[in-house]
């Protein structure tokens, strides 16, 4: 099998049929690919539509039916687990992402042995200026505070080799953030630009607050910087109290001023507060290490291992 499409579906009853038609228009030889639909706890007729499409002689369709809505990240993971193509393509079923672009991605992988993944970056987004500004700010923030790099506008719309799939599946963490995971596993990624179409039918399930929660989850999943915040604030407070104390002492020695109770109190509070925060920060450091360990991420990912001839 050359190609597997991974298609998460949440309340997409109006989209699955036109989506499938478009796939078949672009990929006429149905033996060369499979389509893995994940019904992510839809409350509309998505599952019935998928089943009837499968029954109407589409033998290359797999359906994974979730017991409830687990979210797109879980749907993508399940799809990857059940795919068997040499290339894997993650694509939404709402027709915002054109299967013709998957054709381009496959061609790039075919002619560039060195490339492992082709990622589509959204050029013009059909969304408000505020949302676009927030997303760009998020990418900058995430890029700064995590150990991995985030490409602005990079989406989950990607086609990649089996080796990348295996690597992604080896990260079994529950709170998944695919953009980070793709970056974390490494491999050579080619970025191409695309313009997302309007949604065919239904509405997006990601509103601003859902996106914000997703973004925070992303930073927390790949950075322990927030845990170190207490150390930094504590360190600054200690430094401030020491400088203030030295200045007060010098003033007392040189000008023989009376050090009032207020000044003594400020120095003491700043110092003790600083020490407390700094200590919390140290606990945070241990917690951070523990947090990363509990994810049980692989220690490394080898793209290939060149053994000697036996
Ligand atoms: N989706 C899903 N589970 C969810 C939310 C969304 O499987 O809980 C699917 C949805 O059916 C679509 C894709 O993920 O195929 C992208 O979702 P959506 O179009 O709502 O997001 P947007 O394109 O606005 O980012
Ligand atoms: Mg969409």
């Amino acid at each position: 099998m050359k190609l597997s499409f991974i298609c998460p579906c949440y309340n997409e009853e109006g989209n699955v049929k036109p989506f499938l038609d478009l796939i078949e228009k672009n990929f006429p030889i149905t033996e060369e690919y499979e389509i893995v639909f994940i019904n992510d706890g839809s409350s509309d007729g998505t599952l019935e539509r998928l089943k009837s499409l499968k029954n109407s002689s589409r033998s290359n369709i797999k359906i994974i039916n979730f017991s409830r809505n687990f979210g797109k990240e879980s749907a993508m993971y399940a799809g990857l687990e059940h795919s068997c193509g040499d290339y894997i393509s993650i694509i939404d079923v709402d027709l915002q992402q054109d299967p013709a672009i998957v054709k381009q991605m496959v061609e790039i992988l075919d002619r560039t042995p060195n490339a492992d993944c082709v990622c589509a970056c959204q050029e013009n987004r059909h969304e408000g200026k505020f949302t676009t500004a927030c997303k760009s700010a998020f990418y900058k923030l995430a890029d700064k505070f995590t150990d991995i790099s985030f490409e602005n506008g990079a989406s989950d719309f990607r086609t990649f080799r089996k080796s990348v799939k295996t690597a992604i599946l080896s990260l079994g963490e529950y709170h998944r953030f695919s953009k980070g995971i793709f970056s974390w596993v490494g491999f050579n990624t080619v970025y191409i630009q695309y313009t997302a179409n309007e949604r065919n039918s239904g509405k997006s399930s990601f509103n601003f607050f859902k996106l914000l929660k997703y973004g925070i989850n992303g930073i927390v999943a790949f950075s322990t910087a927030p845990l170190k915040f207490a150390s930094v604030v504590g360190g600054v407070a200690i430094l401030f109290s020491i400088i203030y104390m030295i200045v007060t002492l010098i003033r007392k020695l040189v000008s023989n001023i009376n050090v009032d109770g207020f000044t003594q109190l400020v120095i003491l509070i700043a110092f003790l507060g600083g020490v407390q925060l700094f200590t919390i920060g140290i606990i945070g450091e241990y917690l951070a290490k523990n947090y990363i360990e509990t994810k049980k991420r692989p220690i490394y990912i080898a793209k290939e291992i060149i053994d000697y001839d036996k």
Side-chain angles (χ1 to χ4, degrees), residues 3-9 19 34-38 64 72 75-84 87-93 97 156 158 160 165:
L3 176 65
S4 298
F5 287 96
I6 310 285
C7 314
C9 309
F19 170 76
E34 62 172 2
I35 308 173
V36 186
F37 285 109
I38 305 95
I64 303 167
K72 188 184 175 187
M76 289 191 288
Y77 190 85
L80 288 179
E81 250 186 350
H82 289 86
S83 62
C84 52
Y87 295 166
I88 298 96
S89 187
I90 298 178
I91 181 167
D92 294 350
V93 295
Q97 301 167 345
D156 296 328
R158 293 165 187 253
F160 44 89
K165 174 186 98 171

Side-chain angles (χ1 to χ4, degrees), residues 214-225:
Y214 184 63
I216 292 173
N217 179 31
I219 294 195
V220 171
F222 283 91
S223 164
T224 50

Side-chain angles (χ1 to χ4, degrees), residues 88 105 108-109 112-121 149-161 163-165 167-168 178-193 303:
I88 298 96
M105 292 171 161
I108 294 175
L109 289 177
T112 332
N114 202 25
D116 303 297
C117 178
V118 184
C119 170
C121 295
S149 63
F150 287 88
E151 191 78 16
N152 189 4
S155 62
D156 296 328
F157 184 24
R158 293 165 187 253
T159 303
F160 44 89
R161 293 182 199 277
S163 48
V164 179
K165 174 186 98 171
I168 291 169
S178 277
K179 290 173 183 69
I181 290 175
F182 272 110
S183 176
W184 192 90
V185 296
F187 294 95
N188 297 334
T189 304
V190 176
Y191 293 94
I192 59 170
Q193 298 294 325
K303 189 168 158 182

